[in-house]
Amino acid sequence: RFDLAIGGLHPDVNAKYMGMEAKSGGDAYYMPAVGYVRKDGKLTYGVGVFAQGGMGTEYAANSFMAMGSGTDARSELGVGRLIFPLAYDVSPDFTVGGSVDFVWATLDMKMAAQISQLGGMMSSPTGAFTGALGAGTDWARIDFSDSNDFSGSAKGTGWAGKLGFTYRASKQLTIGAVYQSKTSLSDLETGATGAAMTTQGGFADSGRIKVRNFQWPETYAIGLAFQATPQWLIAADVKQINWSKVMRDFKMTYESALGSFNITMPQDWKDQTVLQLGATYQMNEQLALRFGVNTARNPVPDTYLNALFPAIIKEQYTLGAGYKFSKTAELNGSLTFAPKVTQAAASGVTSEHSQTNWQLMYSNRF
């Protein structure tokens, strides 16, 4: 089987502060995917590449998010995987499987902050940076960003893995479970002059940024699929995402010929338990209709919410359809809507975030 897919992530993000509003221009992120799998007797193996996740924000240079610096504020995170899956049919009803995943992550960030805010996040300054945030300045900036739509200025790679099984308990009921490990990504690094440190007081420098120990969390899930009638298939999953083990702090190190300093931005994200329900209605041999809902609590606490990273979505509602052109070729698609979530940070900035997303996938069996 060969699959070719494209997805669109379309967030609608706004930030508000003391009567001012900044609307994010980061409203379209496109994610391709491709995969091939072959079944030989009891063994199934293949290869695939896809976008794991990520998104971003884009605030204009004249918005309050730029702090009067005259330069835009933005973020863009992308995480992708090249996977090598392997599955084995232990019996006609029981299959075990897993994958080895090569993972990459890229990040852009252009952040403006008040001197007091940035100074409170800095530690271990050396060289010229012991006095870089001098008195009388109002803002300071950390910038690292490129113009590539599919990668970021800071890059890192690593590995992860998955293990799982499916068991057909009866003709109608199938049970499955999966464990996905935390990634082991390297630090995300820019080039030697890929980042900049500037202040309103006139200090300007270029150097290297290292985003230290940024990881995708471990996840485990259990679910079932029930063939209620020849037309109706019902599915339900419970998934645990352990954000608290990887998003306690966001840590960076800036290094240049003038010296270095560390930045720690507390995050304190909470773990998520995600409930997922779905159904497929097989209208005829060619056409299937699908419906789904996901719900979870927002993992980001008010205290540390940053309008550059408003990952506060709670629910998603999905419609989908699949059409078979022949015994071997089919097209599947989905449309997902995530209702608006509004959250006020301790800084006084309120973030609003909703999403409309879509997926299309062409599949061919040989």
Side-chain angles (χ1 to χ4, degrees):
R1 171 174 171 149
F2 172 78
D3 295 316
L4 181 64
I6 182 71
L9 172 64
H10 300 279
D12 185 356
V13 175
N14 293 288
K16 298 179 179 180
Y17 180 69
M18 297 183 65
M20 299 177 288
E21 182 173 356
K23 182 173 178 59
S24 170
D27 55 9
Y29 302 89
Y30 299 100
M31 301 169 292
V34 62
Y36 175 81
V37 66
R38 178 180 176 87
K39 185 172 178 62
D40 255 336
K42 295 182 177 182
L43 193 65
T44 303
Y45 55 90
V47 62
V49 61
F50 67 97
Q52 171 79 59
M55 59 160 285
T57 53
E58 304 268 356
Y59 298 108
N62 62 355
S63 70
F64 75 86
M65 288 293 294
M67 296 283 182
S69 63
T71 304
D72 61 324
R74 70 182 302 266
S75 66
E76 186 175 270
L77 170 68
V79 180
R81 293 186 184 235
L82 172 64
I83 66 171
F84 302 94
L86 182 67
Y88 181 75
D89 296 334
V90 179
S91 72
D93 297 324
F94 183 55
T95 299
V96 295
S99 70
V100 175
D101 304 355
F102 175 75
V103 188
W104 69 92
T106 67
L107 178 66
D108 287 335
M109 190 172 75
K110 300 176 73 173
M111 180 182 70
Q114 295 177 350
I115 287 295
S116 58
Q117 292 175 324
L118 190 60
M121 295 184 286
M122 289 179 62
S123 63
S124 306
T126 66
F129 297 108
T130 56
L133 304 184
T137 59
D138 295 322
W139 56 258
R141 293 187 61 101
I142 299 291
D143 295 323
F144 54 99
S145 179
D146 65 16
S147 58
N148 192 315
D149 290 337
F150 294 96
S151 71
S153 180
K155 302 175 177 66
T157 59
W159 297 90
K162 290 189 285 288
L163 289 172
F165 75 88
T166 61
Y167 174 66
R168 189 170 63 181
S170 68
K171 290 183 178 180
Q172 290 78 35
L173 179 64
T174 300
I175 300 169
V178 65
Y179 172 79
Q180 176 177 286
S181 72
K182 185 178 77 170
T183 58
S184 59
L185 285 166
S186 62
D187 291 343
L188 313 187
E189 295 189 34
T190 67
T193 58
M197 164 70 181
T198 55
T199 72
Q200 186 175 2
F203 180 88
D205 183 45
S206 61
R208 181 194 308 273
I209 277 284
K210 293 182 181 180
V211 180
R212 307 196 316 273
N213 197 28
F214 178 86
Q215 305 297 336
W216 197 264
E218 68 174 354
T219 303
Y220 45 92
I222 187 168
L224 57 85
F226 183 70
Q227 192 73 53
T229 72
Q231 290 78 35
W232 281 102
L233 175 66
I234 309 299
D237 295 328
V238 179
K239 180 188 295 184
Q240 180 74 12
I241 307 176
N242 288 337
W243 292 112
S244 65
K245 295 182 179 180
V246 298
M247 290 296 287
R248 187 169 301 166
D249 296 305
F250 182 78
K251 298 179 179 180
M252 299 185 294
T253 297
Y254 179 88
E255 302 170 335
S256 78
L258 298 181
S260 66
F261 58 88
N262 297 326
I263 291 180
T264 300
M265 300 170 62
Q267 302 295 306
D268 198 25
W269 282 27
K270 307 302 180 185
D271 294 338
Q272 277 185 308
T273 300
V274 186
L275 303 178
Q276 302 172 293
L277 298 173
T280 297
Y281 178 69
Q282 193 71 43
M283 292 193 66
N284 51 50
E285 291 185 358
Q286 286 77 38
L287 182 62
L289 302 179
R290 302 185 179 97
F291 318 88
V293 58
N294 294 355
T295 182
R297 72 171 182 173
N298 163 23
V300 185
D302 296 349
T303 304
Y304 302 122
L305 174 62
N306 188 318
L308 287 176
F309 309 100
I312 57 177
I313 291 296
K314 296 180 181 180
E315 298 172 344
Q316 295 175 320
Y317 301 94
T318 303
L319 295 175
Y323 185 81
K324 293 184 178 180
F325 297 98
S326 67
K327 291 183 178 180
T328 60
E330 64 180 283
L331 183 68
N332 288 278
S334 68
L335 181 67
T336 301
F337 174 67
K340 182 171 70 175
V341 176
T342 301
Q343 184 175 349
S347 64
V349 177
T350 297
S351 292
E352 298 176 343
H353 186 177
S354 63
Q355 292 181 5
T356 303
N357 309 320
W358 56 269
Q359 294 276 339
L360 285 175
M361 183 173 73
Y362 171 78
S363 302
N364 195 84
R365 292 178 173 86
F366 301 93

